[in-house]
Structure formats: structure tokens, C-alpha cells
């Protein structure tokens, strides 16, 4: 379907292309909802011929609505949502619109480090890195992408792997919203599903934040890679800030889970906890449900983030400022442990990561509160920028707060590859980026 600005169904398609209830105030000239690969090729060739720049939408979960730009073409590939599994080869071909891949595979005893939310599209998720279930075991999900099928700026379908168009594959593993082609399929490696899943939870009043975060600093060096330790600071039922510690373990037996989660039961702060769930059998659906509750559909969102290896004592002043200024539940700060002994990283565009991931999510319902809350995440992250070693593209906010998302060398290489595959800039790139030390200061661009 091809919709022009002014057509009756245009506005519904524009709003429907963005998962965030806060649709950006940007209006593409044309929206194409591709049903087939041929539709994608035609749309790219038409856009090139008529001088329209292209924004691409798979699952529409970019918090910033990066794919919705002013003018040009919005190419919606969410209907390309195939999941073709080759069980004997332990591989799958995944369409960019495929959602909840880990959940779909779990039914078949298979596994992929898919995102924590059932609804995120494979397209944007895999291109930006992909921080999913058992991400510390398998690395960012883009490491499990062996090849991609891409429609390039000249409207050609290209298969990129380690041997052919290897630069395109290199770029697709981490370029995120700066990728310059339409990925119509990802060829991914699959894994055996963890045979046993357990979850655990601690809930604390925020008053004990110093003790909780320094305990966390103490235990993280010993954590099994199958444990995903996260802390959420949000307003509890009373309206006061509280800290939820969650630690799912995706392992192979109850014994392994007990060993991996022993640190919860032996936490020296249990007496100060408001709730203690030391180790409870769970399913992947349970884990998805827990995450889903934090991100109500239709709400208005703003997000920002940072990587850091700063100790709790350095982070706490910023965390306290976040707690004091929290918008209503489920707005939250998420602290996530990503460090440890990572599996070796291949050469890929993805190149910025650190021990700890901090993200701030503002969530509200009333458009009248936009002015009040929309800048909260970036203000909080800006205040802690001196402790940051970069950002994740998953929760990027580059249009409002440019930050480092890729190493300097990789950014140069990415630019050079883009120049080769998309010399006329047919595909929109990042909404903002830091200038290289050698470049003059640039302004973030919202279009
Ligand atoms: C509720 C929620 C939960 C999330 N949970 C996680 C999580 O657990 N782990 C994690 O890592 N991230 C998570 N994210 C972040 C999410 O992975 C990124 O926002 C990702 O970009 C979303 O992908 P998408 O296809 O749904 O988004 P889209 O908005 O459709 O795409 C984002 C950008 O990617 C590019 N793009 C998308 N598809 C293509 C394509 N086919 N070809 C070329 N370029 C393309 C475009 O530039 C587009 O603007 C979450 C986001 C939300 C809203």
C-alpha cells in the first residue's frame, strides 16, 4: 500500500508506524507498507528516481521514532515477518518484522538472544546490537547474524556474508539507525534452549540505595554469565521511590539455578528488603510478562542511556537525583550488569559497551505532560555524562543528546562503507552524532 500525505489513511499509518504513543511531529511525503520483497525494491527505486530520502520501519520501537522523518518516504517492512527455521543446521532466516523471536523458538526447544520485549522488531533490534535474554552468554544478538539480504540504494538485492559484501555485514552488526540499505532478511545462528529458567527478586525502599548498589558492586564479579542482574528504580505503590532487583537465570537445571542465584539468598540486606523471592522456577513467557508490564502500549515515552564502569559510589549522586525527580510509575531507571568475561567479539561496527548499562525511561499518559517529562531522561543522563563511556543505540536519543555510540575508528569505516553503498545519502542516518575530533561542531538534525 502506498499512501500520500493528505490521503485518508495516511495519518493512521504514520501513527501506527511508531510504537511510542508520542508520535514525532514529522511527516513523510509518502508511506509505503511493503508486503513483498518486490514492493521494497520498487519503493527504493522510486524514491531514488524522485529524490526522496528513505526512513525504514520494522517493529517501530525506536523510542525516538527515528524512522519517521520530515518529507521523503517512510518504508514500512513490518509485514516481512518470516521466521524460517532449519533445525538440522541450527539456523533461521528472520524477516525484519518478526517479533518475539526467543518466545517463538522456545516452543521448539530452540533459542536466540532475542530482546526482552515480545514486540520489538528484529530489524531495528539486530542492527543496533541487540541486548537480549542470555546476552552475556551469546554477546549482542548481532554476533549471531551470519548474513543479511539487503536492498541497497541502487535497488539491487544483495546477500552479504563473511565472503561477499562483507563490509555490509560488518556495518549491519551494530550500525543501528545509521544503516544504509533495507535489510529484508537476517540469517541467524540458533542455540539450544536453556532447559531450566529461574527468576528471583528483591524489593527495597530507596533509603537503602547506598547499601544495595555497593552490594551489587561486590557481587557482580562473581556472577554466572547466565544470570542477568538488573536493578530498577521507580515509584512504588506509595509513590516513594524503591529499588527492584531482578535476576533471572537461564540455565539447564534446578541445581545450576540454585548455584547461580545463591548470591540473592545470601544478600546481607535481606532484613531491609520489602519483598524477597530468592529462586523461583519460571518460563520465558513469565520473564516476557514481567518486562511487558514496564512498557504499557499506547503510553508516551522518552528514553536515554549510558554505558559506564564507574563504581556505585560515583554513580549514586546521579542515581539519587534520578530517584528524586522520577515521573510516575512505570517511569524508571534501569541498571543492568553487562560485564564479565564476554565471548570474543568479531570485527563489527558494534564497538561501544561497558560493565554497566544505565537507562532512564520516562513514561506518562497525558500529552499535556510532554513538556514536563520529555526532557527528563536526557537531563539525567547529561548530568552523569562525565561517568559515561558511551551509549547503546537500543535506547538512543541522538536527535536530542548526541553521544558516542561506536568507536572513532569504526565510525570512520562505517562512513566510508556508506559512501560506497549509498553515495547520495538515500537512506536517512542518525538524527545526531558527535563530531569527530577533526570535524567542526555539527548540530543534531531532527529530520
Ligand atoms: C518496549 C521496548 C523494549 C525494548 N527492549 C529491548 C531489549 O530488550 N533489548 C534491546 O537491545 N533493545 C530493546 N529495545 C530497543 C529496540 O531494540 C530498538 O529501539 C530497536 O531499534 C527497535 O527495533 P524495531 O525494528 O522495532 O524499530 P524500528 O523503529 O522499526 O527501527 C529502528 C531503526 O532501525 C532501522 N531499521 C529498522 N528496520 C530496518 C531494516 N529492515 N533495514 C534497515 N534499517 C532498519 C531504522 O533506521 C529505524 O529507524 C526496546 C524498545 C522498546 C520500545
Amino acid at each position: 500500500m502506498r499512501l500520500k500525505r493528505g490521503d485518508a489513511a495516511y495519518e493512521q499509518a504514520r501513527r501506527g508506524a511508531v510504537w511510542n504513543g508520542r508520535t514525532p511531529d514529522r511527516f513523510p511525503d509518502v508511506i509505503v507498507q511493503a508486503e513483498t520483497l518486490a514492493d521494497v525494491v520498487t519503493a527504493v527505486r522510486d524514491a531514488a528516481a524522485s529524490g526522496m530520502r528513505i526512513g525504514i520501519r520494522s517493529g517501530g520501537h525506536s523510542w525516538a521514532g527515528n524512522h519517521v522523518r520530515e518529507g521523503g518516504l517512510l518504508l514500512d517492512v513490518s509485514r516481512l515477518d518470516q521466521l524460517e527455521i532449519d533445525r538440522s543446521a541450527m539456523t533461521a532466516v528472520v524477516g525484519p518484522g518478526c517479533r518475539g523471536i526467543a518466545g517463538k523458538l522456545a516452543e521448539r526447544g530452540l533459542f536466540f538472544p532475542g530482546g526482552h520485549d515480545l514486540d520489538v522488531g528484529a530489524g531495528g533490534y539486530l542492527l543496533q546490537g541487540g541486548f537480549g535474554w542470555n546476552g552475556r552468554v551469546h554477546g549482542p544478538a548481532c554476533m549471531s547474524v551470519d548474513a543479511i539480504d539487503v536492498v541497497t540504494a541502487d535497488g539491487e538485492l544483495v546477500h552479504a556474508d563473511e565472503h561477499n559484501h562483507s563490509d555490509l555485514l560488518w556495518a549491519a552488526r551494530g550500525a543501528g539507525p545509521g544503516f544504509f540499505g533495507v535489510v529484508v532478511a537476517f540469517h541467524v545462528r540458533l542455540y539450544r534452549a536453556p532447559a531450566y529458567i529461574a527468576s528471583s527478586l528483591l524489593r527495597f525502599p530507596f533509603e537503602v540505595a547506598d547499601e544495595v548498589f555497593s552490594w551489587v558492586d561486590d557481587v557482580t564479579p562473581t556472577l554466572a554469565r547466565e544470570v542477568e542482574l538488573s536493578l530498577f528504580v521507580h515509584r512504588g505503590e506509595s509513590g516513594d521511590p524503591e529499588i527492584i532487583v531482578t535476576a533471572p537465570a537461564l540455565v539447564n537445571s534446578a541445581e545450576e539455578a540454585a548455584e547461580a542465584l545463591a548470591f540473592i539468598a545470601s544478600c546481607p540486606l535481606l532484613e531491609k528488603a520489602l519483598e524477597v523471592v530468592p529462586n523461583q522456577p519460571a518460563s520465558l513467557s513469565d520473564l516476557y510478562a514481567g518486562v511487558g508490564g514496564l512498557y504499557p502500549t499506547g503510553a508516551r515515552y522518552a528514553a536515554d542511556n549510558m554505558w559506564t564502569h564507574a563504581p556505585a559510589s560515583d554513580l549514586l549522586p546521579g542515581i539519587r537525583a534520578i530517584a528524586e525527580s522520577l515521573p510516575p510509575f512505570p517511569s524508571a531507571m534501569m541498571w543492568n550488569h553487562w560485564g564479565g568475561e564476554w565471548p570474543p567479539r568479531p570485527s563489527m561496527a558494534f564497538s561501544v559497551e561497558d560493565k554497566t548499562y544505565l537507562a532512564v525511561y520516562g513514561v506518562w499518559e497525558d500529552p499535556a505532560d510532554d513538556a514536563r517529562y520529555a526532557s527528563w531522561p536526557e537531563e539525567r543522563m547529561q548530568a552523569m555524562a562525565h561517568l559515561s563511556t558511551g551509549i547503546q543505540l537500543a535506547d538512543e536519543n541522538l536527535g536530542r543528546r548526541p553521544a558516542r555510540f561506536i568507536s572513532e575508528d569504526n565510525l570512520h569505516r562505517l562512513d566510508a562503507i556508506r559512501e560506497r553503498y549509498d553515495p547520495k545519502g538515500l537512506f536517512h542516518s542518525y538524527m545526531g552524532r558527535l563530531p569527530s575530533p577533526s570535524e567542526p561542531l555539527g548540530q543534531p538534525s531532527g529530520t
Side-chain angles (χ1 to χ4, degrees):
M1 170 128 47
R2 186 180 174 89
L3 298 162
K4 289 210 294 287
R5 195 170 172 182
D7 286 350
Y10 169 93
E11 186 53 13
Q12 197 187 352
R14 189 184 77 90
R15 289 188 178 275
V18 185
W19 178 82
N20 189 345
R22 204 158 62 94
T23 313
D25 220 4
R26 301 186 288 266
F27 297 84
D29 293 326
V30 178
I31 300 174
V32 169
Q33 296 173 333
E35 305 273 350
T36 63
L37 168 60
D39 291 347
V40 174
V41 170
T42 304
V44 170
R45 290 184 178 169
D46 285 355
S50 53
M52 282 194 286
R53 296 189 79 190
I54 301 175
I56 307 161
R57 184 245 178 175
S58 287
H61 276 56
S62 158
W63 301 101
N66 173 79
H67 47 295
V68 178
R69 302 294 183 99
E70 189 58 36
L73 174 79
L74 169 57
L75 179 53
D76 182 340
V77 295
S78 59
R79 289 159 188 80
L80 307 185
D81 60 355
Q82 70 272 27
L83 175 61
E84 293 156 16
I85 299 167
D86 182 339
R87 212 190 164 90
S88 56
M90 291 296 275
T91 58
V93 182
V94 182
C98 179
R99 296 159 191 256
I101 175 168
K104 288 177 179 156
L105 290 169
E107 296 159 10
R108 298 162 162 101
L110 297 170
F111 184 77
F112 184 81
H116 300 94
D117 184 90
L118 264 177
D119 221 27
V120 170
Y125 173 77
L126 291 175
L127 286 169
Q128 52 89 6
F131 305 88
W133 301 114
N134 261 353
R136 291 174 63 233
V137 175
H138 301 288
C142 65
M143 274 174 60
S144 298
V145 174
D146 287 333
I148 48 169
D149 298 333
V150 193
V151 176
T152 55
D154 50 11
E156 296 299 322
L157 176 66
V158 159
H159 180 78
D161 59 20
E162 291 290 357
H163 308 290
N164 303 297
H165 297 281
S166 55
D167 271 359
L168 261 189
L169 177 63
W170 181 91
R173 288 174 169 163
F179 191 66
F180 31 83
V182 188
V183 182
V184 291
F186 296 87
H187 299 256
V188 306
R189 233 167 307 136
L190 303 180
Y191 307 94
R192 269 193 322 138
Y196 191 88
I197 298 179
S199 68
S200 52
L201 180 145
L202 300 173
R203 186 160 62 90
F204 292 101
F206 189 78
E207 288 73 60
V208 294
D210 289 29
E211 292 163 83
V212 172
F213 279 93
S214 56
W215 164 68
V216 155
D217 262 5
D218 291 344
V219 295
T220 48
T222 62
L223 276 192
R225 284 201 282 160
E226 292 80 1
V227 174
E228 186 173 337
L229 179 62
S230 300
L231 276 65
F232 297 87
V233 175
H234 62 202
R235 291 197 187 278
E237 272 177 21
S238 66
D240 293 335
E242 60 180 24
I243 305 170
I244 307 276
V245 179
T246 62
L250 284 75
V251 289
N252 284 311
S253 66
E255 292 72 31
E256 272 183 54
E259 194 180 328
L261 296 178
F263 75 100
I264 294 281
S266 59
C267 171
L269 304 169
L270 291 185
E271 277 179 11
K272 299 184 179 177
L274 303 169
E275 193 179 345
V276 178
V277 181
N279 174 355
Q280 177 172 285
S283 65
L284 199 56
S285 310
D286 295 331
L287 301 189
Y288 272 131
V291 173
L294 301 174
Y295 305 113
T297 308
R300 305 174 81 76
Y301 291 86
D304 209 330
N305 75 91
M306 64 186 255
W307 286 113
T308 182
H309 53 256
S313 51
D314 289 353
L315 293 171
L316 273 159
I319 293 174
R320 257 183 241 109
I322 289 170
E324 280 159 15
S325 56
L326 269 168
F329 182 87
S331 299
M333 183 205 84
M334 179 180 77
W335 175 108
N336 178 251
H337 175 57
W338 182 250
E341 252 188 62
W342 290 319
R345 304 314 197 211
S347 172
M348 55 182 173
F350 180 89
S351 43
V352 170
E353 58 189 325
D354 210 331
K355 177 174 174 273
T356 302
Y357 181 61
L358 271 187
V360 186
Y361 306 98
V363 191
W364 65 101
E365 298 287 339
D366 188 347
D369 285 332
D370 284 5
R372 197 164 159 206
Y373 298 134
S375 55
W376 176 71
E378 84 215 33
E379 283 165 7
R380 301 298 15 117
M381 291 293 89
Q382 188 55 44
M384 297 174 77
H386 59 292
L387 302 171
S388 162
T389 51
I391 62 149
Q392 257 186 27
L393 287 173
D395 298 327
E396 59 91 6
N397 191 20
L398 293 168
R400 295 178 63 122
R401 192 180 73 89
R404 194 174 85 102
F405 52 84
I406 184 173
S407 72
E408 202 57 38
D409 286 352
N410 282 14
L411 189 55
H412 284 308
R413 181 170 171 193
L414 189 65
D415 286 344
I417 302 172
R418 181 202 314 278
E419 187 57 34
R420 225 162 356 104
Y421 281 94
D422 184 16
K424 294 185 180 152
L426 181 66
F427 296 103
H428 282 291
S429 191
Y430 307 105
M431 285 202 286
R433 59 187 256 188
L434 291 178
S436 303
S438 54
E439 289 172 11
L441 269 177
Q443 288 300 314
S445 89
T447 58

